[in-house]
Amino acid sequence: MDISALSISELKGITSKQVSALNKIGINTVMDLLLHFPYSYQDRTKFTPINELTEDSYASIRARIVSRSTGRNNMLILTLSDDTGILRVTLFNCPIFINRELKSGNILICHGKVSIFQNCLQMTNPELNLKDTELPESYTPVYRLTKGIKMQSMRNLVQKALNELEKTGVCEELIPPHLNHTGMTLKDALIQVHTPNIGTSMSDLALFITSQQQRVICEELISQYISVLTLKESNKLLNGIPLKPVDSLIKKFLSTLKFSPTGAQLRVFDEISRDLTLAQPMNRLVQGDVGCGKTLVAVLASLQAVGNGIQSAIMAPTEILAEQHYSNIQNFLEPLGIRVALLTGSQKKAEKNKQLELVKNGNAQIIVGTHAIFQEQVNFLSLGLIIIDEQHRFGVEQRMKLRSKCSIENRVPHMLAMTATPIPRTLAQTIYADMHVSVIDELPKGRKPITTITIPETRRDEIIERIGINCSAGKQAYWVCSLVNESEVLESQDAINACEYLTAKLPNLKIGLVHGQMKSTDKDAVMREFKNGNIDVLVATSVIEVGVDVPNAFLIVIENSERYGLAQLHQLRGRVGRGQLDSFCCLMFSDKINSIGMERLNTLKNSNDGFVIAQKDLEIRGPGDLLGTRQTGEIAYRVADAVRDYRSMDKCTVIATEIFKNRKDLCQKLTERWFPDSEIMSVL
């Protein structure tokens, strides 16, 4: 049995509570547990004399308890000595059973961060070894935890999972030796990831570039690309719905427009139109910067379906964006008498039933909505084209599920995906290798450029004053924060406090708040209020990255902008400049920003080209980015990261291609190991 099929419940000594806690964070198998990589490591392989401890350093010390005292809330204060000096150890909420063991005269081992308190060296809540044990022979891993699992318990469970690797056949080596550049087996790599040898570079571990980390990451990238190649090959065998060109309908539609499409829009539609005429179902991704006119291209593609008596469905990631598309497409097509339906999750029953009937009897030729479009109760008369807006939120699995919704027997609908998230060629060729890619690389005439400025957070009140003046005159603004609530770990302005601060500073303005922890219906309600002009300043997290058009919004302020990926900042910037107002993006940075962070912000300041920005993001973005978005959105990598590991992608695609061509037996095993529940298995 492979590690991917071995349940964690089979680990010796694991409790049902631990199984439940791990299941909640997606750890169901031994493979899942072993892929729960440490996010950092500690060197506990040597003791540091107390007189050599320095502030803010991490250290392990072995000393004798010379005195102890208690305080409120089970606080215990120990004084330790190792003959070189004195160390104060403060323990909050110390459990009774541990308190009893901490007697004066006992030897105690502590692992923790050193601070200075009242001119005395101190450790607060360090990890304790109550027994005088030997030092470990490898670095100690530090894991992200979940409620119900403590650090030492997680380490013990991972060690039990590592013990399972010793069983025959549990971790078969699936990468042929001549293609394995690291020279390590997956088994050995997993062991060394969790127990790195002394001398392994801590900085290399932090960058995920050690040979053991790369061995695991590369197997995942190889397996992912094999799954994409499998889909690409299977697509050739599918029966599509040939849709002949409808030149007269397209010409009639274009004559109703009050503007002329760009050359890029027409070129991309020509590429789509040719795909639609084929018996093989189209599978195309359209990339286009914010404001390039992807909706018009979607309408043109839908018209080719409508002209052939076929329905098309357009899916957006949020209700308010779906409603915006519905309104825009209705306005586009009203002169042609083409019926558009809207389906969202929050529609009232009577309205939803009315829309469902229009879809079922074919009176609705174009259906716009959220994922509600593909629920079981939705029955299409003749669905032949699926258009997904913001493709980066849908991976291979989602694309497969959507295609199964076709209502025409033995036919697979054409699929057109669109994204405003620029994806560098390196990533697009790997992640979307099962799709053809078109690029709309031209903005409509008359669209005003957005002026981007960088400003230190010390000038926050100056910006607020400007907002007060402009919004009192009828304009609107966004204020974006990286966190929802105040954090003890990250020194970042949070949305809730920012909302309270702006409300106090701007008492005559209406301040709104929207963030990812709100219910979708509540978020949409706030966004509607903002769109309708009933909110002057919208405080938000990055949930507005994919948002609606608010032509009256003249400014977006992004707090702690150095914490975001450049592609995400570019997306956020695109929330303004949607109308005729001169628009501005203010990148506010903290005094903690480093030279790389400043270089990244200047890249955004000096360019409005999303593809240039995305490529630069790949080149200079560091692993310390706390809140940078994955440019590939919801692609379900388990340990790999498309941005961090993009340099490994080219070699992994070469290896995957060779395995795919020459070792079909390994293709199936690799896919089963990395995607055990995947629908990809059904086409292997």
Side-chain angles (χ1 to χ4, degrees):
M1 180 183 292
D2 190 81
I3 48 175
S4 62
L6 191 63
S7 171
I8 55 169
S9 62
E10 297 182 42
L11 293 176
K12 186 177 180 180
I14 193 171
T15 68
S16 58
K17 287 185 178 180
Q18 288 174 329
V19 170
S20 178
L22 291 173
N23 288 167
K24 287 178 182 177
I25 58 172
I27 297 177
N28 302 297
T29 68
V30 171
M31 177 80 163
D32 295 334
L33 186 53
L34 293 175
L35 295 180
H36 188 69
F37 276 19
Y39 72 87
S40 69
Y41 299 85
Q42 297 167 348
D43 185 355
R44 299 183 177 182
T45 62
K46 60 182 181 298
F47 292 130
T48 302
I50 291 176
N51 69 344
E52 294 181 14
L53 296 176
T54 56
E55 187 177 9
D56 291 331
S57 64
Y58 181 90
S60 297
I61 63 106
R62 178 183 181 276
R64 188 178 303 277
I65 301 173
V66 295
S67 68
R68 47 172 285 157
S69 61
T70 57
R72 294 180 181 179
N73 301 321
N74 296 322
M75 183 173 73
L76 180 63
I77 300 172
L78 304 175
T79 301
L80 306 184
S81 172
D82 67 353
D83 297 330
T84 72
I86 298 294
L87 175 72
R88 171 189 169 118
V89 172
T90 303
L91 304 171
F92 293 101
N93 298 311
C94 183
I96 293 175
F97 72 94
I98 291 179
N99 195 323
R100 288 172 181 164
E101 297 293 323
L102 299 175
K103 298 175 182 178
S104 294
N106 285 4
I107 294 295
L108 183 63
I109 295 174
C110 300
H111 311 281
K113 188 175 181 180
V114 180
S115 60
I116 302 291
F117 179 73
Q118 295 179 345
N119 294 321
C120 179
L121 291 169
Q122 175 176 268
M123 282 187 181
T124 303
N125 283 339
E127 286 191 53
L128 307 178
N129 281 22
L130 302 178
K131 297 179 181 179
D132 194 3
T133 56
E134 294 183 5
L135 291 170
E137 296 181 357
S138 60
Y139 293 145
T140 300
V142 181
Y143 299 97
R144 301 195 186 281
L145 303 176
T146 185
K147 187 177 180 180
I149 303 285
K150 294 186 177 180
M151 185 62 72
Q152 193 53 50
S153 295
M154 179 66 83
R155 290 178 183 137
N156 292 340
L157 290 171
V158 170
Q159 187 55 55
K160 290 176 181 179
L162 291 174
N163 294 341
E164 292 294 325
L165 296 180
E166 299 301 327
K167 296 181 180 178
T168 304
V170 166
C171 191
E172 180 185 357
E173 185 57 23
L174 300 179
I175 305 299
H178 69 286
L179 298 176
N180 184 353
H181 302 308
T182 66
M184 300 180 71
T185 64
L186 180 65
K187 170 186 169 181
D188 290 341
L190 288 169
I191 291 171
Q192 290 192 38
V193 161
H194 294 283
T195 57
N197 295 329
I198 297 172
T200 305
S201 167
M202 285 285 198
S203 61
D204 286 355
L205 285 167
L207 293 169
F208 280 74
I209 59 174
T210 64
S211 56
Q212 61 261 38
Q213 290 166 319
Q214 282 296 304
R215 171 63 186 82
V216 182
I217 287 166
C218 284
E219 182 166 315
E220 179 173 22
L221 292 174
I222 290 165
S223 302
Q224 190 268 345
Y225 195 67
I226 285 173
S227 72
V228 171
L229 291 175
T230 302
L231 281 180
K232 191 172 184 178
E233 187 173 84
S234 69
N235 286 343
K236 298 176 183 177
L237 306 176
L238 299 175
N239 294 316
I241 308 160
L243 304 175
K244 63 184 180 183
V246 287
D247 295 339
S248 59
L249 181 60
I250 297 296
K251 187 175 181 180
K252 184 178 180 181
F253 167 66
L254 293 177
S255 70
T256 67
L257 298 178
K258 298 177 182 179
F259 58 89
S260 297
T262 65
Q265 286 173 314
L266 295 175
R267 170 177 49 77
V268 168
F269 171 62
D270 283 344
E271 294 169 358
I272 294 167
S273 181
R274 287 195 296 271
D275 284 356
L276 293 175
T277 64
L278 303 176
Q280 179 184 330
M282 175 179 70
N283 199 20
R284 184 170 287 276
L285 171 68
V286 173
Q287 294 188 72
D289 223 336
V290 177
C292 71
K294 294 182 295 297
T295 303
L296 178 64
V297 172
V299 170
L300 290 169
S302 296
L303 286 176
Q304 187 157 336
V306 170
N308 282 268
I310 296 296
Q311 291 173 306
S312 66
I314 301 174
M315 187 167 84
T318 65
E319 287 200 6
I320 192 165
L321 196 56
E323 290 170 2
Q324 178 173 288
H325 283 329
Y326 172 70
S327 176
N328 291 339
I329 293 169
Q330 260 196 326
N331 292 336
F332 273 141
L333 299 180
E334 190 174 17
L336 302 181
I338 293 172
R339 190 84 175 260
V340 185
L342 175 67
L343 285 173
T344 65
S346 66
Q347 280 176 319
K348 293 182 178 179
K349 188 173 182 180
E351 178 60 25
K352 181 172 284 188
N353 288 339
K354 177 184 174 183
Q355 298 295 315
L356 288 172
E357 185 59 30
L358 291 173
V359 175
K360 184 177 180 180
N361 61 30
N363 287 334
Q365 296 138 300
I366 298 174
I367 300 89
V368 180
T370 59
H371 63 278
I373 287 179
F374 297 99
Q375 293 175 351
E376 285 186 17
Q377 69 266 38
V378 183
N379 295 304
F380 295 88
L381 179 68
S382 58
L383 178 62
L385 172 62
I386 297 170
I387 300 175
I388 305 172
D389 190 20
E390 288 310 327
Q391 161 65 25
H392 71 291
R393 293 170 182 258
F394 300 92
V396 172
E397 286 293 301
Q398 291 91 333
R399 300 205 292 271
M400 290 186 67
K401 288 177 181 177
L402 295 182
R403 280 194 151 177
S404 66
K405 195 65 182 177
C406 187
S407 56
I408 302 173
E409 190 175 357
N410 298 322
R411 292 286 187 266
V412 174
H414 298 284
M415 182 168 289
L416 176 64
M418 305 189 301
T419 182
T421 301
I423 304 167
R425 184 176 178 82
T426 306
L427 297 185
Q429 286 180 329
T430 303
I431 296 160
Y432 299 124
D434 62 320
M435 308 181 82
H436 295 100
V437 179
S438 295
V439 177
I440 304 176
D441 52 7
E442 181 182 357
L443 291 177
K445 291 181 180 178
R447 185 171 172 84
K448 289 192 173 184
I450 301 164
T451 302
T452 302
I453 61 172
T454 56
I455 190 169
E457 62 185 5
T458 52
R459 297 177 61 188
R460 181 183 286 110
D461 285 351
E462 290 180 39
I463 298 297
I464 293 174
E465 184 180 353
R466 296 282 184 91
I467 289 174
I469 294 169
N470 282 273
C471 289
S472 294
K475 297 178 184 178
Q476 292 170 278
Y478 293 94
W479 191 285
V480 180
C481 299
S482 56
L483 303 174
V484 176
N485 298 292
E486 191 173 0
S487 168
E488 294 181 0
V489 179
L490 301 178
E491 295 182 13
S492 294
Q493 176 68 288
D494 64 279
I496 292 175
N497 277 328
C499 185
E500 293 176 356
Y501 187 76
L502 288 169
T503 300
K505 286 282 186 179
L506 303 168
N508 297 323
L509 298 182
K510 175 68 174 176
I511 313 296
L513 175 65
V514 64
H515 55 75
Q517 293 178 13
M518 296 168 63
K519 293 180 180 178
S520 294
T521 51
D522 294 337
K523 282 189 291 187
D524 286 343
V526 175
M527 290 300 297
R528 284 190 192 91
E529 286 289 287
F530 187 61
K531 181 177 174 62
N532 294 334
N534 298 323
I535 291 174
D536 300 303
V537 182
L538 182 64
V539 180
T541 58
S542 58
V543 293
I544 62 160
E545 175 190 354
V546 178
V548 294
D549 290 344
V550 182
N552 201 38
F554 84 105
L555 170 68
I556 183 165
V557 179
I558 305 173
E559 291 249 26
N560 300 103
S561 55
E562 70 273 15
R563 294 193 180 279
Y564 294 84
L566 284 181
Q568 189 177 29
L569 287 174
H570 181 61
Q571 283 284 87
L572 289 168
R573 176 169 61 180
R575 293 304 97 223
V576 295
R578 316 295 285 193
Q580 295 305 307
L581 294 176
D582 290 332
S583 298
F584 304 87
C585 173
C586 175
L587 302 175
M588 195 176 293
F589 58 87
S590 73
D591 59 2
K592 299 290 193 300
I593 193 169
N594 56 28
S595 59
I596 293 177
M598 205 68 233
E599 180 187 356
R600 293 171 61 250
L601 296 189
N602 285 330
T603 296
L604 195 78
K605 178 181 175 180
N606 297 326
S607 177
N608 281 296
D609 188 322
F611 293 96
V612 171
I613 290 166
Q615 186 60 46
K616 190 68 174 177
D617 207 8
L618 280 181
E619 293 170 6
I620 65 176
R621 183 171 159 205
D625 242 344
L626 297 177
L627 294 172
T629 182
R630 282 188 178 189
Q631 294 178 14
T632 51
E634 303 301 324
I635 301 303
Y637 287 124
R638 301 171 75 179
V639 292
D641 183 295
V643 174
R644 183 193 67 213
D645 302 317
Y646 87 99
R647 288 183 177 85
S648 299
M649 286 186 169
D650 282 344
K651 68 180 180 184
C652 289
T653 55
V654 171
I655 294 169
T657 302
E658 183 169 337
I659 293 174
F660 185 76
K661 287 180 178 178
N662 303 317
R663 294 294 304 273
K664 293 294 185 185
D665 58 320
L666 293 181
C667 289
Q668 182 159 352
K669 288 180 178 179
L670 283 164
T671 308
E672 286 176 347
R673 171 175 287 173
W674 287 91
F675 312 106
D677 302 319
S678 172
E679 292 189 21
I680 297 168
M681 297 303 302
S682 63
V683 298
L684 277 169

